[in-house]
Amino acid sequence: MIDAAETSRWMELALDLARRAEGRTNPNPAVGAVVVRQGRLVGEGFHPGAGEPHAEIFALEQAAAQARGADLYVTLEPCSHQGRTGPCADAVIAAGLARVQVGTLDPNPLVAGRGVEKLRAAGIEVHIGLLEDECRRLIAPFARHILTGLPHVTLKAAVTLDGKTATSKGDSKWISGQQSRLEVHRLRDRVDAIMVGIGTVLADDPQLTTRLPEGHGHDPLRILVDTYLRTPPESRILHLDSKAETLIICGADVPELRAERLRSKRVRVLRLGSPGAQVDLGQLMSVLGAEGIQSILLEGGATLNNAMLSAGFVDRLMVFMAPILMGGRDGSGIFSGAGVSRIADCMQLRDVRVRSIENDILVEGEIERCLPVS
């Protein structure tokens, strides 16, 4: 009989391995794998990046002859097609494994169950769905991009207990605690891009870089939505010692001279939208998806947050709630505008996770619309 606690423990190890390369495997998903023989770990591995061997290959090479008759735990279905590397399903079969525990099926139409079918056809016992929520959450940016061509967007915000993101005078530093802010930098280290609006730049003058105490973090692409190119020339975002690019998105009506002044600061300026209109966010998401951007951390202000949410481009919400109160009715919230008028029209979170970070509470979940109330 398979011990449920033990199988979960091995898949948790595979997930921990996969997370070591999270944000660095684009265009591939992050995957981890372990080989277990008679209750003992004999091989482990994770996919470090595109063009490198997949997680199963590293784990099988480490296990060597001990893989025969052993169990494989892998967060994502082994691939069955030829890409930059050979099919992992073939390698699993050749290794003589007895059983495979798959966290979740591969959403890639080139795989989508074919890897599991190949393993079962070879006589290998396959189980699907062990810690599936965690495994699917890990590959959410890959799944969103490969199925829709669009990036996966996580909206991050820090709020007080009474739901404020800034005082009536615009002061917002710092609502969340030091450990929460460190967690945000770890988030930045795992995404392809950060996005803000011009309001955030004018109010906070952010750097939008990754600053980890242990170092080794990578700066994601910085995306600034600035319809009228109001970005001040002294803004820190224009004067960074960073390998990552800064991309400013403006509307169609901005004078070319203004755009050229920003380009002279090694910034890419892209016009999107119709004359007389705001930046077309749908067009922006399509462009970013076509450029291979899988994951975006949205750190915008209320206006951009609301526009992205209303357009259906926010996939995940992360709210750091600090144990402080501003009081009063003034101040800013996460979103601008009136919002919905009926509870039946609101959005809700599924797969909700809640955890403490020092004195703050982090609430995160995946966004979906509420079903109509009968």
Side-chain angles (χ1 to χ4, degrees), residues 147-168:
L147 293 176
T148 69
L150 302 176
H152 179 277
V153 178
T154 297
L155 191 159
K156 182 276 301 181
V159 302
T160 63
L161 282 179
D162 47 350
K164 306 291 178 58
T165 60
T167 68
S168 58

Side-chain angles (χ1 to χ4, degrees), residues 48-322:
E52 297 291 325
H54 291 183
E56 301 94 316
I57 305 304
F58 282 113
L60 292 173
E61 287 180 348
Q62 191 177 106
Q66 296 184 84
R68 187 160 296 279
D71 296 345
L72 172 69
Y73 294 79
V74 60
T75 57
L76 184 66
E77 173 186 12
C79 62
S80 57
H81 65 290
Q82 179 69 47
R84 294 189 186 183
T85 59
C88 290
D90 291 354
V92 171
I93 293 168
L97 287 152
R99 183 185 300 114
V100 176
Q101 291 275 2
V102 174
T104 187
L105 295 179
D106 193 331
N108 186 347
L110 293 175
V111 184
R114 293 182 180 88
V116 166
E117 290 175 3
K118 182 177 281 192
L119 296 179
R120 285 174 172 163
I124 297 175
E125 181 182 337
V126 180
H127 299 269
I128 305 168
L130 181 61
L131 301 188
E132 185 169 18
D133 287 345
E134 293 89 335
C135 293
R136 292 183 65 180
R137 197 180 305 143
L138 177 69
I139 65 161
F142 169 77
R144 171 75 164 162
H145 188 260
I146 204 163
L147 293 176
T148 69
L150 302 176
H152 179 277
V153 178
T154 297
L155 191 159
K156 182 276 301 181
V159 302
T160 63
L161 282 179
D162 47 350
K164 306 291 178 58
T165 60
T167 68
S168 58
K169 302 297 185 182
D171 184 22
S172 61
K173 293 184 178 179
W174 295 99
I175 288 177
S176 57
Q178 184 176 357
Q179 289 303 311
S180 292
R181 298 197 298 274
L182 177 58
E183 182 67 19
V184 171
H185 283 279
R186 291 186 176 128
L187 283 169
R188 290 179 177 182
D189 184 49
R190 299 197 299 267
V191 298
D192 297 329
I194 307 175
M195 181 185 295
V196 298
I198 182 58
T200 297
V201 170
L202 295 176
D204 299 333
D205 192 20
Q207 297 181 69
L208 304 182
T209 55
T210 299
R211 301 182 295 280
L212 297 173
E214 61 271 24
H216 309 298
H218 94 286
D219 289 341
L221 167 70
R222 293 172 290 273
I223 304 169
L224 168 58
V225 180
D226 181 5
T227 299
Y228 304 108
L229 283 190
R230 294 185 291 149
T231 304
E234 66 274 12
S235 299
R236 291 195 293 178
I237 198 173
L238 304 178
H239 303 278
L240 295 171
D241 181 17
S242 172
K243 294 180 180 179
E245 182 183 33
T246 297
L247 171 62
I248 299 183
I249 312 299
C250 67
D253 299 328
V254 173
E256 183 58 26
L257 179 59
R258 196 178 301 175
E260 284 301 323
R261 286 172 180 164
L262 286 173
R263 292 189 182 107
S264 69
K265 299 181 180 295
R266 297 183 296 113
V267 171
R268 181 156 63 111
V269 179
L270 181 62
R271 296 173 183 272
L272 293 177
S274 305
Q278 299 285 322
V279 167
D280 187 325
L281 293 177
Q283 193 178 357
L284 173 57
M285 290 296 104
S286 295
V287 167
L288 294 174
E291 292 189 0
I293 300 299
Q294 288 187 355
S295 56
I296 295 174
L297 183 61
L298 177 60
E299 298 193 36
T303 300
L304 182 58
N305 286 347
N306 192 63
M308 288 286 287
L309 184 75
S310 300
F313 294 128
V314 177
D315 302 288
R316 180 176 294 165
L317 189 69
M318 298 185 71
V319 177
F320 295 84
M321 186 175 295

